[in-house]
Amino acid sequence: MKILTFDIEDWFHILDYKETQAVSSWKNFPSRIHKNMDIIHDVLKGRNLKATFFILAWVAEKYPEIVKKISKMGYEIGTHTYSHQLVYNQTKKEFFNDVERSIKVIEDISGKKVKCFRAPGFSITNKNLWALEIIKDLGIEYDSSIFSASRAHGGLNDFDIDRPCILKYSGISIKEFPINTQKIFKKRFVFSGGGYFRVFPYFLINYWSKNSDYLMTYFHPRDFDPNQPILKNLTYLRKFKSYVGLKNCRSKLEKLLDSYKFSDIKNAANKIDWHSAPKYNID
């Protein structure tokens, strides 16, 4: 089972960067979203693939034509929140209001019910598992926010299920499509999206993909834009993560898409026997 997903945000929606953290600051940066969305649509054109698009609702509200085109082409639409804030930096009320707003904006534009959620930076950790209760209350059926390896924005290090499962927490259950990992010298690494996909050579990505029964990809429009501006005053590590491998990312993705059959989350979920799926109790 190989799943194709995109997190639809603009090039300046970088986490852990004070100058772009506030929504009010985003008007100061020129948008490149249309150009980069054209690249994604061009890559998908003619390949007859399903994909899930997790859309930042601020982008949807500002550029509704982007959502309408994705919807018209038959792709599944999920939410990536409204304001692209790390979940653990929000209160429960702030998070509830943000996700609720994002769902309304996207549903009003697309005319389709939002059933999928992905947290910015995969920022659901052991300290803010209450986020699962909130998205469940808001009608989300499928989550793809669990990152089962060490990373800057947390993740669940004890989570060791590399396939779709049912998360159980505080009396609720939610169907989870986690980011899969690959062990290198007994340490788990992600390779199937974002900067990880850009930094690893294609032969390794292809080898790991071939040997993975379950593969969850995730890409951003900026991943395919080598000419995007470089934000000032980034740390060396953040700069590396944001700009490494941009030049070759499109060709690597095209090779991957030509090598395997990809689905969206909705179609993948319909093929899973959830009664026998792994259960992960995090009460």
Side-chain angles (χ1 to χ4, degrees):
M1 177 180 293
K2 292 175 172 54
I3 302 173
L4 180 62
T5 74
F6 297 91
D7 296 351
I8 305 306
E9 57 198 57
D10 220 324
W11 68 276
F12 50 81
H13 288 129
I14 291 179
L15 298 165
D16 298 328
Y17 182 63
K18 186 167 58 176
E19 282 82 349
T20 61
Q21 183 175 356
V23 174
S24 59
S25 71
W26 296 347
K27 63 180 182 295
N28 300 322
F29 299 89
S31 176
R32 298 175 68 84
I33 192 72
H34 289 89
K35 174 183 178 294
N36 293 334
M37 286 303 301
D38 285 344
I39 293 173
I40 290 174
H41 287 304
D42 191 49
V43 167
L44 296 180
K45 185 178 179 181
R47 285 189 162 90
N48 192 31
L49 296 172
K50 298 289 186 181
T52 298
F53 287 73
F54 291 98
I55 301 175
L56 189 65
W58 180 88
V59 170
E61 191 172 66
K62 192 171 180 64
Y63 308 112
E65 65 276 10
I66 288 176
V67 179
K68 291 177 181 178
K69 183 172 182 178
I70 292 170
S71 179
K72 183 178 179 181
M73 298 182 76
Y75 296 119
E76 182 182 26
I77 294 176
T79 177
H80 196 40
T81 73
Y82 181 90
S83 60
H84 204 249
Q85 302 299 306
L86 292 166
V87 179
Y88 50 71
N89 286 338
Q90 296 178 297
T91 65
K92 292 182 181 181
K93 184 176 181 180
E94 287 172 337
F95 179 70
F96 179 94
N97 291 341
D98 188 89
V99 178
E100 183 182 45
R101 182 181 182 184
S102 76
I103 291 172
K104 185 179 188 308
V105 167
I106 294 170
E107 289 184 345
D108 285 350
I109 296 171
S110 68
K112 297 178 180 178
K113 182 169 176 55
V114 171
K115 298 181 180 181
C116 297
F117 173 82
R118 175 172 289 156
F122 304 97
S123 52
I124 293 180
T125 72
N126 286 313
K127 295 181 180 180
N128 63 334
L129 293 170
W130 45 259
L132 298 173
E133 296 178 86
I134 289 175
I135 62 174
K136 181 77 172 183
D137 288 344
L138 289 171
I140 295 297
E141 297 180 16
Y142 311 113
D143 178 60
S144 186
S145 303
I146 300 302
F147 203 96
S148 58
S150 179
R151 71 188 319 269
H153 304 126
L156 297 181
N157 282 327
D158 295 332
F159 185 89
D160 59 357
I161 302 176
D162 268 347
R163 56 178 168 143
C165 62
I166 295 178
L167 294 182
K168 291 181 171 292
Y169 173 74
S170 190
I172 63 103
S173 297
I174 193 162
K175 295 170 183 173
E176 179 65 35
F177 285 82
I179 306 303
N180 58 291
T181 60
Q182 178 66 42
K183 280 190 176 181
I184 304 176
F185 299 118
K186 297 184 179 181
K187 187 174 181 179
R188 288 183 293 173
F189 288 88
V190 173
F191 65 91
S192 57
Y196 302 93
F197 184 88
R198 288 186 270 112
V199 74
F200 282 119
Y202 180 75
F203 77 89
L204 277 178
I205 293 171
N206 183 49
Y207 175 78
W208 291 329
S209 298
K210 182 171 60 177
N211 289 283
S212 298
D213 294 330
Y214 165 74
L215 180 71
M216 171 58 75
T217 66
Y218 63 98
F219 301 98
H220 314 83
R222 66 173 176 268
D223 287 327
F224 311 103
D225 184 5
N227 298 315
Q228 65 189 275
I230 297 178
L231 293 167
K232 298 178 181 179
N233 302 318
L234 291 173
T235 65
Y236 288 114
L237 180 59
R238 181 72 265 180
K239 190 173 182 180
F240 175 79
K241 289 179 179 179
S242 297
Y243 299 104
V244 66
L246 294 173
K247 184 177 180 180
N248 298 320
C249 189
R250 174 175 177 168
S251 62
K252 288 163 73 174
L253 176 58
E254 288 178 327
K255 287 181 183 178
L256 194 70
L257 297 183
D258 287 338
S259 299
Y260 305 96
K261 181 67 174 178
F262 283 85
S263 173
D264 58 13
I265 288 177
K266 179 178 68 175
N267 282 275
N270 289 337
K271 295 177 181 178
I272 294 171
D273 178 3
W274 290 103
H275 292 291
S276 60
K279 311 296 189 297
Y280 190 83
N281 193 321
I282 47 179
D283 284 335

